[in-house]
Amino acid sequence: EPIGEEILLQVLKEWERYTPHDRQNHLLLNLVHYQALRTRELAALEMDHLDLERGILRVPSCSRSVSRALLLQGHQLPLLQAHLEVTRPALGGQRVAMDYLFSSGGSDVYLMNWLQQLSRQCKAVFAELGHTLKNLEHWRSSRIVQLLERLPLLEVQALVGHKYASSTERYQLQGIEQLSEALRYHHPLEQKVE
C-alpha cells in the first residue's frame, strides 16, 4: 500500500544530518523521493553521472530500466555540492577511490549493504510514526503512485526509467485500488447500520 506524500516528506525533512553517514543517507533518500531511483541505480551512480552545473543526473540503465537524464531539484544542488566537497571525502573508502558517487565507508565495493541498513533505519522511523515501510523500493513505489496522480503516464514512465508503459500502469492501478478501498470505508452507503 502506498504511503502518503506528507508522511514521506516529514521523514525526509526530519532526517538527522549531524554526521557524514547521516548526510549521505539524507541525500540518498532525497534521490529516492524526488527522482524515484531504485537502490541498484543509487549503487551504480558514478561521479561522471552528475552534472551539477546543469543540474542533471544521468542514471545508467540496469536490467529493469532504461538510462535517463533527470533534472535535479534546486534544493538538491547544495546537498550534492556538500556531499562532493565534505561528506564523500569524510566517508572515504574503496568506492570513493573507484569514483562512485556514494561511499560505503570502507572496503565494501557494493553499496547494497549500506542501503539495506538505511532501509532498516527508515522502517524504524516509519514505525514510530505509525506507518509501515517495507523497504526503500516501497518508498519509491509510493512516489510513483503520487507522480501518476499529477503527471501523464508516459512522462512518469520516462522519469522512473520503465522500459514499458505497462510497468508504470501497474502503479496507476495501486492508486486506484487505494482510492476504492477508502471510498468503501468512508462512503455513507457502504457503512452498515446496526
Side-chain angles (χ1 to χ4, degrees):
E1 181 172 308
I3 298 170
E5 186 170 16
E6 62 284 343
I7 299 299
L8 296 175
L9 284 171
Q10 178 184 349
V11 170
L12 189 59
K13 183 179 177 183
E14 294 175 4
W15 196 266
E16 289 186 3
R17 291 167 245 171
Y18 301 118
T19 67
H21 185 274
D22 294 334
R23 286 191 297 273
Q24 177 167 285
N25 283 344
H26 180 255
L27 182 54
L28 289 163
L29 293 175
N30 246 277
L31 293 170
V32 170
H33 187 81
Y34 291 104
Q35 281 72 31
L37 294 185
R38 290 183 172 90
T39 53
R40 294 208 180 280
E41 292 170 333
L42 290 167
L45 289 175
E46 297 176 6
M47 293 293 290
D48 64 348
H49 294 146
L50 178 62
D51 183 347
L52 271 181
E53 284 183 21
R54 293 178 42 209
I56 293 176
L57 181 67
R58 288 186 301 285
V59 182
S61 64
C62 64
S63 61
R64 297 174 51 194
S65 66
V66 295
S67 63
R68 58 209 187 273
L70 300 174
L71 287 175
L72 295 163
Q73 301 280 323
H75 74 275
Q76 290 177 305
L77 298 177
L79 293 175
L80 281 158
Q81 187 72 41
H83 178 75
L84 296 178
E85 293 174 0
V86 180
T87 305
R88 187 172 174 273
L91 290 170
Q94 187 68 25
R95 287 181 56 88
V96 170
M98 296 173 67
D99 237 15
Y100 282 101
L101 186 57
F102 294 104
S103 171
S104 57
S107 61
D108 185 9
V109 177
Y110 304 103
L111 193 64
M112 296 314 286
N113 291 337
W114 182 291
L115 292 168
Q116 287 172 350
Q117 183 180 1
L118 174 58
S119 185
R120 285 190 294 273
Q121 285 179 277
C122 287
K123 280 183 187 182
V125 170
F126 277 86
E128 288 174 10
L129 295 172
H131 296 277
T132 302
L133 179 78
K134 296 174 189 167
N135 52 35
L136 293 178
E137 296 297 329
H138 184 196
W139 186 317
R140 176 183 184 270
S141 65
S142 297
R143 283 297 294 152
I144 294 171
V145 169
Q146 295 159 13
L147 290 169
L148 283 166
E149 292 171 358
R150 295 191 293 268
L151 302 171
L153 178 96
L154 295 178
E155 193 173 325
V156 174
Q157 178 190 355
L159 176 70
V160 300
H162 288 153
K163 289 181 180 178
Y164 308 103
S166 60
S167 297
T168 312
E169 285 175 332
R170 281 189 220 126
Y171 292 92
Q172 226 170 13
L173 294 175
Q174 282 181 355
I176 291 170
E177 288 170 3
Q178 185 182 14
L179 289 172
S180 296
E181 183 61 34
L183 180 64
R184 280 192 294 279
Y185 180 78
H186 294 292
H187 195 281
L189 295 178
E190 294 294 328
Q191 297 176 0
K192 294 181 181 178
V193 179
E194 295 183 27

